């Protein structure tokens, strides 16, 4: 143990490393200096001040927005049409029942989207002229379905496939709607995976080849693990969007949360059920969004520290 001087010129014992803020004096022979303690108190005071200012500004903003809305000339009529408690209580259990369909579509379509998106991304990155037709088909697929609006894709699949009267092909709007969602989102996810694959430095593949791995083994064991880890945040964002867009399967007649609210709204001529369905989707999406933010922040911290992403 050596004796060093801190910033204030005071002598203190130098242990194996600095102790965390607030460590008891004398722990492992370390005594925080007065300047360090003062600096920690200043940081805590600034944090409390920033929290108080943020809370006050949020409260003021909320009050202003509330006053603007309730003072509008048509507020009373809007309140009766969109925020009626009676219709909200009637719609809530039916919306929850329909939401189970949306959750199942998210789980099944999410898995299919990840698998199909990965296959398309790998096809687009295959080297060599022999794979040019496969790369061209994969590029055409992503260009087409990324450019085609999802609502039009749903209409084509949900209404067009039954019109063909093909033997052995389902006409279930849930399955057809899930197929349309998978086709569209696979194109977006494929581009996310492709960006991750191309972000891996070529030296990684060259090093794997020098160790005796084949191209397929290098892709599987070296390139893809790094690519997937790097692209986790955008992949989670695509899944959040998929969760919301599962409500579009209602255009084919599937009784999901959106369709359940639409049935009640058309019968009562009151739009409160739409608000209930919207709030239920928001409540379902917020945890996924916060989880995405947490994963992104965690990866940024590890990258800043020089650790493995």
């Amino acid at each position: 143990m050596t004796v060093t001087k801190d910033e204030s010129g005071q002598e203190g014992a130098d242990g194996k490393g600095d102790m965390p803020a607030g460590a008891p004096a004398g722990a492992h022979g370390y005594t925080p200096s007065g300047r360090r303690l003062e600096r920690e108190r200043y940081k805590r005071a600034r944090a409390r001040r920033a929290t108080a200012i943020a809370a006050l500004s949020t409260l003021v903003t909320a009050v202003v927005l509330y006053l603007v809305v309730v003072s509008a000339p048509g507020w009373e009529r809007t309140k009766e049409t969109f925020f009626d408690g009676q219709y909200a209580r009637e719609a809530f259990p039916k919306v929850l029942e329909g939401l189970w369909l949306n959750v199942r579509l998210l789980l099944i379509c999410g898995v299919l989207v990840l698998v199909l998106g990965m296959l398309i991304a790998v096809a687009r990155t295959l080297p060599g002229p022999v794979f040019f037709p496969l790369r061209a088909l994969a590029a055409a697929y992503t260009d087409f379905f990324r450019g085609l609006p999802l609502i039009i894709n749903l209409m084509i699949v949900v209404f067009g496939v039954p019109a063909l009267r093909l033997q052995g092909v389902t006409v279930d709007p849930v399955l057809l709607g899930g197929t349309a969602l998978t086709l569209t989102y696979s194109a977006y996810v494929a581009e996310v995976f492709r960006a991750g694959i191309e972000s891996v430095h070529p030296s990684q593949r060259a090093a794997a080849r020098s160790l005796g791995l084949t191209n397929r083994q290098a892709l599987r064991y070296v390139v893809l693990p790094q690519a997937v880890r790097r692209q986790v945040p955008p992949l989670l964002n695509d899944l959040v969007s998929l969760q919301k867009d599962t409500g579009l399967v209602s255009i084919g007649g599937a009784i999901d949360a959106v369709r359940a609210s639409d049935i009640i709204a058309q019968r009562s001529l009151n739009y409160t059920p739409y608000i209930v369905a919207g709030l239920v989707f928001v409540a379902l999406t917020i945890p996924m969004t916060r989880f995405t933010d947490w994963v992104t922040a965690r990866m940024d911290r590890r990258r800043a520290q020089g650790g493995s992403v």
Side-chain angles (χ1 to χ4, degrees):
M1 181 175 66
T2 60
V3 178
T4 59
K5 290 186 178 182
D6 58 21
E7 297 175 355
S8 62
Q10 297 178 349
E11 293 185 350
D14 185 13
K16 294 184 179 179
D18 290 342
M19 294 295 294
H28 297 288
Y30 174 78
T31 303
S33 66
R35 178 171 294 184
R36 178 171 182 177
L37 294 175
E38 180 63 27
R39 186 163 58 245
E40 295 297 331
R41 284 193 294 268
Y42 175 72
K43 289 181 179 179
R44 289 193 294 268
R46 286 197 61 180
R48 289 193 296 267
R49 180 172 177 269
T51 302
I53 293 175
L56 179 61
S57 63
T58 302
L59 178 62
V60 171
T61 302
V63 171
V64 171
L65 291 176
Y66 174 78
L67 294 176
V68 169
V69 172
V70 299
S71 61
W75 166 244
E76 291 300 327
R77 179 59 179 168
T78 301
K79 181 180 178 181
E80 295 175 0
T81 307
F82 289 91
F83 302 99
D84 191 296
Q86 175 184 350
Y87 290 111
R89 288 188 294 271
E90 177 186 351
F92 185 70
K94 299 184 182 300
V95 168
L96 281 184
E97 182 179 351
L99 185 67
W100 174 233
L101 174 59
N102 298 104
V103 173
R104 284 181 291 169
L105 279 172
L106 171 65
L107 296 176
I108 297 174
C109 293
V111 173
L112 295 177
V113 163
L114 292 176
V115 173
L116 183 57
M118 175 63 76
L119 294 176
I120 296 171
V122 170
R124 290 203 63 181
T125 57
L126 290 175
V130 69
F131 293 112
F132 173 77
L134 193 58
R135 291 197 301 269
L137 288 175
Y141 177 93
T142 56
D143 290 343
F144 179 79
F145 283 104
R146 290 176 71 197
L148 184 67
L150 175 58
I151 188 70
I152 295 180
N153 185 19
L154 279 162
M155 290 181 177
I156 292 174
V157 175
V158 173
F159 300 126
V161 172
L164 295 175
R165 299 181 181 179
L166 298 175
Q167 294 294 327
V169 177
T170 181
V171 294
D172 187 344
V174 176
L175 296 178
L176 294 176
T179 301
L181 290 172
T182 302
L183 291 174
T184 295
Y185 272 90
S186 294
Y188 287 98
V189 170
E191 288 300 283
V192 173
F193 279 131
R194 185 172 71 93
I197 293 173
E198 294 182 349
S199 69
V200 178
H201 198 273
S203 62
Q204 297 288 315
R205 192 188 296 264
R209 296 284 289 136
S210 68
L211 294 175
L213 275 67
T214 64
N215 280 324
R216 181 181 302 178
Q217 291 173 330
L219 179 66
R220 178 180 176 184
Y221 296 111
V222 178
V223 177
L224 288 183
Q226 297 183 65
V228 172
R229 284 198 300 269
R230 294 178 181 182
Q231 299 303 102
V232 166
L235 288 174
L236 291 175
N237 283 327
D238 283 335
L239 290 180
V240 171
S241 298
L242 176 61
Q243 165 59 42
K244 296 181 295 183
D245 286 341
T246 55
L248 294 177
V249 299
S250 60
I251 66 173
I255 309 298
D256 68 330
V258 176
R259 183 59 178 167
S261 64
D262 184 56
I263 293 173
I264 300 175
Q266 290 185 10
R267 185 179 69 242
S268 62
L269 298 181
N270 187 283
Y271 300 127
T272 303
Y274 292 135
I275 302 298
V276 174
L279 293 177
V280 168
F281 272 102
V282 170
L284 186 63
T285 302
I286 285 179
M288 297 178 61
T289 306
R290 295 286 75 81
F291 177 71
T292 302
D293 293 342
W294 177 81
V295 170
T296 303
R298 179 174 177 270
M299 295 182 66
D300 290 342
R301 287 195 302 269
R302 296 185 64 180
R303 188 180 295 111
Q305 295 170 359
S308 174
V309 177

